[in-house]
Amino acid sequence: MAEMRRVTMKFGGTSMMEMPTIAQILQEARASGEQVIAVVSALAGVTDALERSLAAAAKGERWLYLTECGRLRDRHLELAQSLITDAESLEPLLLELNERCDAYLQICDAVHILGEATPRIQASAISYGERLSAPILAALLCQNGWRARAISTNGGDDPTSQAPLIQTDGEYLNANPLWSSTESQLKKTVLPLLEEGITPILTGFIGATAAGHTTTLGRGGSDFSAAIVARCCNCQELIVWTDVDGVMSVDPRLDDRAQLLEMISYSEVSQLAYLGARVLHPRTVQPVVEANIPTRVCNTFRPEGRGTLILPESEPPKTAIRAVTSIVHVAMVTVSGRGMQGVPGIVGRAFLAAAKTGTSILMISQSSSEQNFCFLVNEESGDRAKRAVEAEFAAEMARGDVEHVQLDDDVAIVTVVGAGMQHTPGVAGQIFTVLGQARINVLSISQGSSECSISFVVKEGELARAVRAIHDLVLAVNGREGTRTPDLTDVNRAL
Ligand code: ADP
Ligand code: ASP
Ligand code: MG
């Protein structure tokens, strides 16, 4: 018998609010002869609420966290009651949901007593969103006459699985998968279910260490979970079902003229994701590139659309720039001084000093005169990074070789993405001409070494205008009507 096509489908938070639609999508895939592994997010807003109530518990705000926990419980129980009509299936489901809500409340109570939540406790607490949503979807599928099973990938809630399905290191809130144990555990658990005709509904976002402590893959990490599952279970395709038509030329929440990109390369989409486009978690790309798994991003609410297909670059792209993205809540640390010119190691020392404070650097730029350089970090790390750099250069500052270490915390990073930039001279010049015409002051510029992206920093107050101005250019390059295939002539005309 020919082997069945195997697909991993990931459903995001807004999609999970419409479980009957998800059931229909899964049904159609099954009817077309596919084996589907579902990876699911928490219901929209739940992970934020879990974070909020845990923070309230740590601050001693008992009434606040009790109210929030009560709301979460009601929300899940009401959803289960509205979807599951058969009393025999509903009862064990409600019991399970109540048990998980009790466990979460116990964590909040403990944190309330202790007055703090360590990263390990935080990870365990925010894992409950997925552990509450997955059983509801599984119960709905079973009610529809399927065989489906919810499995928590931290190994925690499933009596048949002791070891975590996604085993990670101990970086609790941004964990890294341990590939070999994850692969063997996923294969051992998931593949036999598929063979038996049971649809596995796996929790996204969460894993556990070898010792069984729950970890998370970072906020928005369910996409990454799905990529891990697709790779480890040898899937032929990964489909990320979300609440927009696919990867678009700009975040549609920022500009309603956003256009769907029907095809995008792995390198373009990873630049977009790393530099702010929330549609895909930045770490999703690596596992699917390595295993060469075609990936699609589709709209749960318009499943008939083709979505965006993410593929390796097969030929030079026809258009130079394809999308614009941005990151807010960042801070820029600028180090300047005439005495830095030609002195080796200055930049390295600054980055190391920042790194030692646990700060991660989002973007770097150095003037060719070597008289100043700057780096961008998350807003909350800005002050810490500035102080660390000042301490590192205390002697140079006393001598006057380093004159200032300046912090700007009302800035934003805008990135223009397009693999075709490598083949099209003059794109950067034109981007900055457009910005100049819009009278937007650019504070710093950096070009990715792959020449697939150009990032620049503007004042936060000018961000919306900057994104719109660049998006105008993207639309012009790509053909505003989208009726013909744009080529390099369009690029030149638009520029
Ligand atoms: P999910 O819960 O399905 O994972 P997310 O909220 O994490 O959904 O990601 C989808 C959101 O990403 C969209 O609603 C959209 O606002 C945002 N987004 C940001 N940039 C882009 C882009 N370039 N294309 C599409 N969506 C984008
Ligand atoms: N529920 C998690 C979050 O909100 C993971 C995800 O949805 O991808 O961050
Ligand atoms: Mg997401």
Side-chain angles (χ1 to χ4, degrees), residues 326-334 362-363 374-380 382 406-414 441-444 456-464:
S326 57
I327 313 183
V328 282
H329 306 308
V330 293
M332 181 164 77
V333 180
T334 307
L362 300 165
M363 173 184 154
C374 66
F375 58 94
L376 278 290
V377 298
N378 286 322
E379 199 169 60
E380 63 276 9
Q406 192 187 322
L407 181 70
D408 290 296
D409 55 8
D410 59 345
V411 297
I413 305 175
V414 180
N441 190 23
V442 175
L443 305 173
S444 164
F456 57 89
V457 180
V458 295
K459 284 279 179 201
E460 213 169 88
E462 300 199 318
L463 173 67

Side-chain angles (χ1 to χ4, degrees), residues 1 14 21 24 27 32 56 105 118 123 127 135 143 199 201 244 252 266 280 286 298 316 327 351 373 377 384 494-495:
M1 203 175 77
T14 321
T21 312
Q24 229 166 356
Q27 173 65 49
S32 68
L105 185 57
T118 60
S127 73
Q143 176 171 271
T199 304
I201 314 289
V244 286
Y266 287 134
L280 216 58
Q286 185 218 342
C298 294
I327 313 183
F351 293 166
F373 64 90
V377 298
R384 214 168 51 214
L495 300 179

Side-chain angles (χ1 to χ4, degrees), residues 10 12-13 41 219-223 240 242 278-281:
K10 179 259 168 177
S41 284
R219 291 301 308 272
S222 293
D223 302 326
V240 174
T242 184
R278 179 169 135 178
V279 62
L280 216 58
H281 185 275

